[in-house]
Amino acid sequence: MESPVQAGTIWTGADDGVVYVTRDGGKDWSNVTPPKDIMPEWIQINSLDASPFDAGTAYVAATMYKYDDYKPYLYKTSDFGKTWKKITNGIPDGAFTRVIREDPNKRGLLYAGTETGLYVSFDDGANWQSMQLNLPTVPITDLAIHKREAELVAATQGRSFWIFDDLPTLHQMMDAGGFKAAADTKLFKPKETYRMAGGGDSICQRRRRLERILPAVSSFTTR
């Protein structure tokens, strides 16, 4: 994956557990795999997300379920892979991790898809909380954030696509202290919406169509 903020900086992850980065468009690659003391050898790098805010920051989601290890494995680097930190606090064992994404409209707001559902972090991965809401208990295989519309799209394994269409509320909750802000009485600014004609054509549009087809009805009045 190429960095959204620095052309030529590309990250790759492999099924045999290695992570590489290039900063010159692929001419030279550096092995920046997280060390064995925090990431098991031969783990599968399931997804990799380059931060939309900082070229040196990237996030990795990895899985070991093929070795009967169902623990979550998420990692973050802020220095082009020189050092890594494991960021799984709050995600229980058994919810192995498939994908991690950073919100392109809110730095440090992360989403993680696991084998059992969705998690959110308001502090750049230091702590995670369930964001299951009305989602069924289902593997989240991939996540995408629509930057302009501020919507989170989740791909599941067997239960279709799900969309959380009000991310600006989460952005405000992050500023107010995360989900604990929901326990207090607060007013959040609603998401920008679009006013569109509903229910098909307007009365005027229907009348103009009839006038073209049957000129005699042009004397009819509408109220």
Side-chain angles (χ1 to χ4, degrees), residues 4-215:
V5 294
Q6 187 175 89
T9 295
I10 305 170
W11 302 83
T12 67
D15 282 357
D16 57 357
V18 294
V19 178
Y20 276 81
V21 66
T22 177
R23 300 176 66 180
D24 55 14
K27 295 178 181 178
D28 298 288
W29 291 87
S30 299
N31 187 333
V32 293
T33 304
K36 296 178 183 178
D37 61 335
I38 62 170
M39 191 173 83
E41 194 174 14
W42 303 110
I43 199 170
Q44 177 178 314
I45 307 300
N46 212 63
S47 78
L48 196 154
D49 194 52
S51 172
F53 301 97
D54 176 59
T57 298
Y59 304 89
V60 166
T63 62
M64 280 289 284
Y65 71 92
K66 295 178 181 178
Y67 292 85
D68 292 327
D69 180 350
Y70 301 101
K71 294 190 292 292
Y73 291 101
L74 298 174
Y75 303 90
K76 175 195 172 183
T77 181
S78 298
D79 53 12
F80 293 95
K82 294 178 181 178
T83 60
W84 291 87
K85 182 179 180 181
K86 189 176 181 180
I87 51 170
T88 58
N89 185 49
I91 303 179
D93 291 351
F96 65 82
T97 42
R98 292 176 173 269
V99 60
I100 184 170
R101 303 289 181 216
E102 184 176 21
D103 193 313
N105 295 308
K106 193 68 172 176
R107 187 169 190 166
L109 180 57
L110 307 181
Y111 311 100
T114 76
E115 181 66 5
T116 59
L118 185 65
Y119 287 80
V120 62
S121 172
F122 294 103
D123 50 15
D124 209 12
N127 298 281
W128 294 89
Q129 302 173 65
S130 174
M131 191 180 157
Q132 199 69 10
L133 304 175
N134 63 326
L135 274 174
T137 301
V138 64
I140 306 296
T141 55
D142 204 357
L143 294 168
I145 298 106
H146 195 295
K147 180 177 174 63
R148 185 192 66 199
E149 299 298 331
E151 296 179 346
L152 175 66
V153 182
T156 71
Q157 189 166 300
R159 296 298 296 272
S160 190
F161 292 95
W162 291 71
I163 300 176
F164 184 86
D165 62 358
D166 198 5
L167 290 180
T169 300
L170 282 188
H171 301 164
Q172 296 172 72
M173 290 179 70
M174 180 176 176
D175 293 335
F179 278 147
K180 64 183 180 181
D184 301 323
T185 301
K186 291 183 180 293
L187 292 177
F188 294 103
K189 181 181 178 181
K191 179 183 176 181
E192 292 185 1
T193 57
Y194 303 94
R195 176 177 289 181
M196 304 176 67
D201 294 343
S202 68
I203 293 175
C204 292
Q205 288 173 322
R206 291 197 295 270
R207 180 176 179 178
R208 283 195 293 269
R209 187 184 302 113
L210 285 172
E211 288 173 349
R212 289 195 299 270
I213 300 172
L214 300 172

